[in-house]
Amino acid sequence: MDYQSQHTRYKNKIKQRIKTAFFYCLIFLFFWWSTANIGTVAQPQVTGGLNGQEMRKLLDEGNLGEAVTRIEEDWEEDYQKYLTENFGARSKTAQQIANTLSRLAVKTQKKPALIYAIPRTDQLELILILPDRPPILRSVPEAQLKNLRQVAQEFSSEITNPRKINTTSYLEPAQKLYKWIVAPLETELQTAKIETLLFCVGQGLRTLPLAAMHDGQQFLIQKYSIARIPAFKFTDINYADLRNTQVLAMGAAIFSETSNKEPLPAVPFELRAIAQQWPGQSFLNEDFTIVNLQSQRLQKRYGIIHLATHAEFRSGSPKNSYIQFWDTQLGLDQMRDLKWNNPPLELLVLSACRTAIGDKEAELGFAGLALQSGAKSALASLWYVSDAGTLALMTEFYQQLKVSKPKDPPIIKAEAMRQAQIAAIEGKVTIENGQLRSSRGETFLPLSIGQIDSKNLSHPYYWAAFSIIGSPW
């Protein structure tokens, strides 16, 4: 019995050792597998979306036509989810987009190109569509998503800081972004003699002050006119001559007590400057109401609506973003209820905006402004520029938009904005000794406009905020 007991204990000990050895083998195998596949363990495999494997495969295979379709669908979904509307836009293939750009180049005598900028975790993908040509792909490994966001935030921060308007602290990030977003396509743009750039960009870039990107010699706006679009399928491609357009100009220098908004003392002079250049009507302060806006549009067909007032693009739902009227706010979610596209509205101008730069929802609100308002194009600012600075840029923009002679081709909206911004860069639009100097001549400014001291408006803080959204035409 003693012998049997010892034998049993020995067998059990052997079994236990085998079990222990097997356990450690399993641990070793699991450790080896997890180390070899650490990227897979740490992060689930993503197949859908622009950052997923499907898009990677399309790009690697050079299937850019399908890639463009996927991009348009993905960003359409972004805007439809945010604005909780189905816009029912018909998809356009890359070939159809190229053909459309070719047709508009002939009509406007300005050659356009479309740039998709798709931020991905591993690198930035750029797809260029030129008139009547197949799409072109450029990948920028240096512009990984983390690096791209960091530089974009630094760029915006340096430009929007009014304490840095006497410095060039923005130049380093401005040149880095140019190197990543524009330089890889520069040869093709120059060979095709492109003059207008449409930017269709992903999250983190939608409120980037594109015009101020810098090639080391000059700003991007000095080389091309620029518009930003949410997707090409949302862009109105019907060109119209604006020279005989009526303008409805409205705004407020002061607001009702319940509004609790800062005064905008330059607004009366902004409206007056527009009225002197364009036919139409203008309304100020108590007459600046939503009811009056609707009433005026029923009486006359206005191609341009100019609202000189506070407008905010905020985080959260669309109702958090708004346009301030005399005594009430119009939420972004209410804009389509006004049916501003019936009759068709060529241009909606908001001249005193403020945007939560870098915030996803605020980006969607700003970049989707023309889409949500029903306007063909919108002109708005990414940050609030000084009262006098806004007056200067707006005055020059409307002057440039009207400058064509009867036999000359009319200037497109994006080109008018470009010329106004170049005038500021080159010191042709300034505020000196209480006077606004522009291509119209000199205009005395009242003392009621704050900080009337001489202003050199060449710093991007003053002009890079303003952006054409939607159709550049």
Side-chain angles (χ1 to χ4, degrees), residues 253 264-273 387-388 391 431-436 442-453 455:
L264 295 171
V267 164
F269 305 93
E270 186 175 325
L271 300 185
R272 189 180 306 162
D387 222 23
L391 170 61
I431 297 172
E432 297 179 18
N433 302 320
Q435 295 181 74
L436 168 61
E442 298 179 352
T443 304
F444 281 98
L445 300 175
L447 295 176
S448 59
I449 299 179
Q451 298 180 340
I452 206 66
D453 300 336
K455 288 183 183 292

Side-chain angles (χ1 to χ4, degrees), residues 6-274:
Q6 290 179 4
H7 183 68
T8 300
R9 286 197 296 271
Y10 177 75
K11 286 172 65 177
N12 289 341
K13 188 179 293 184
I14 294 296
K15 288 180 180 178
Q16 186 63 38
R17 286 177 178 176
I18 291 171
K19 287 180 180 179
T20 302
F22 183 70
F23 174 74
Y24 281 113
C25 282
L26 287 176
I27 291 177
F28 172 78
L29 288 171
F30 177 77
F31 178 77
W32 172 83
W33 176 85
S34 62
T35 302
N37 297 275
I38 191 155
T40 307
V41 173
Q43 186 174 353
Q45 291 293 322
V46 180
T47 58
L50 301 188
N51 204 36
Q53 292 177 344
E54 291 179 8
M55 177 57 70
R56 175 79 277 146
K57 184 179 179 183
L58 290 174
L59 296 174
D60 289 345
E61 292 176 350
N63 190 352
L64 302 186
E66 180 61 25
V68 166
T69 300
R70 296 288 182 90
I71 294 165
E72 292 268 319
E73 289 174 350
D74 191 88
W75 289 345
E76 176 185 28
E77 187 176 347
D78 277 354
Y79 286 95
Q80 289 187 159
K81 281 183 178 178
Y82 173 67
L83 298 169
T84 62
E85 285 198 46
N86 185 351
F87 294 101
R90 183 178 296 178
S91 297
K92 294 184 183 299
T93 65
Q95 182 62 54
Q96 289 172 327
I97 294 172
N99 293 343
T100 299
L101 295 177
S102 179
R103 177 174 60 81
L104 286 163
V106 174
K107 269 196 169 185
T108 64
Q109 298 184 32
K110 291 287 181 185
K111 290 192 72 175
L114 170 60
I115 296 175
Y116 291 100
I118 308 103
R120 287 175 54 92
T121 303
D122 56 342
Q123 60 190 13
L124 175 67
E125 305 289 358
L126 303 172
I127 298 178
L128 171 66
I129 300 184
L130 298 167
D132 281 334
R133 297 188 190 180
I136 296 165
L137 173 67
R138 294 287 182 270
S139 300
V140 188
E142 186 183 353
Q144 297 175 0
L145 185 59
K146 181 181 178 181
N147 295 342
L148 185 62
R149 284 181 176 171
Q150 181 179 341
V151 175
Q153 289 171 1
E154 180 187 353
F155 180 48
S156 295
S157 176
E158 292 300 315
I159 283 185
T160 59
N161 189 343
R163 289 175 296 182
K164 296 190 175 183
I165 57 176
N166 294 317
T167 74
T168 57
S169 59
Y170 60 86
L171 271 180
E172 183 177 347
Q175 291 173 2
K176 189 168 289 187
L177 287 169
Y178 189 99
K179 176 185 173 184
W180 290 345
I181 298 174
V182 181
L185 306 169
E186 194 86 75
T187 300
E188 288 78 10
L189 293 173
Q190 291 177 358
T191 301
K193 298 182 179 179
I194 296 301
E195 298 163 281
T196 302
L197 295 179
L198 286 80
F199 281 93
C200 189
V201 300
Q203 184 182 340
L205 301 178
R206 287 171 176 148
T207 50
L208 196 69
L210 299 166
M213 290 192 291
H214 200 277
D215 69 357
Q217 300 295 323
Q218 56 187 339
F219 294 105
L220 180 65
I221 198 63
Q222 293 174 283
K223 304 168 76 170
Y224 307 96
S225 58
I226 299 170
R228 66 184 78 216
I229 61 174
F232 194 83
K233 62 166 63 180
F234 291 143
T235 305
D236 191 323
I237 56 175
N238 297 307
Y239 171 68
D241 187 339
L242 294 181
R243 280 178 287 196
N244 297 317
T245 298
Q246 296 270 328
V247 179
L248 176 59
M250 309 180 83
I254 56 173
F255 297 86
S256 68
E257 292 183 4
T258 57
S259 297
N260 193 30
K261 291 293 178 183
E262 291 291 325
L264 295 171
V267 164
F269 305 93
E270 186 175 325
L271 300 185
R272 189 180 306 162
I274 296 169

Side-chain angles (χ1 to χ4, degrees), residues 350-424:
L350 302 178
S351 68
C353 301
R354 184 181 285 111
T355 306
I357 292 179
D359 178 88
K360 179 182 178 181
E361 287 85 11
E363 281 190 344
L364 290 170
F366 182 82
L369 174 61
L371 172 64
Q372 181 64 358
S373 68
K376 180 176 174 181
S377 313
L379 172 57
S381 59
L382 288 163
W383 58 87
Y384 175 63
V385 180
S386 69
D387 222 23
T390 298
L391 170 61
L393 262 292
M394 288 294 113
T395 300
E396 187 65 22
F397 168 70
Y398 279 100
Q399 177 66 20
Q400 293 292 339
L401 200 60
K402 195 75 173 178
V403 78
S404 299
K405 297 176 182 178
K407 293 184 179 180
D408 289 344
I411 192 169
I412 64 173
K413 302 161 196 166
E415 181 62 19
M417 190 71 251
R418 173 177 178 261
Q419 292 300 331
Q421 290 170 312
I422 289 175

Side-chain angles (χ1 to χ4, degrees), residues 12 38 143 212 282 336 467:
N12 289 341
I38 191 155
S282 63
R336 290 188 78 84
S467 182

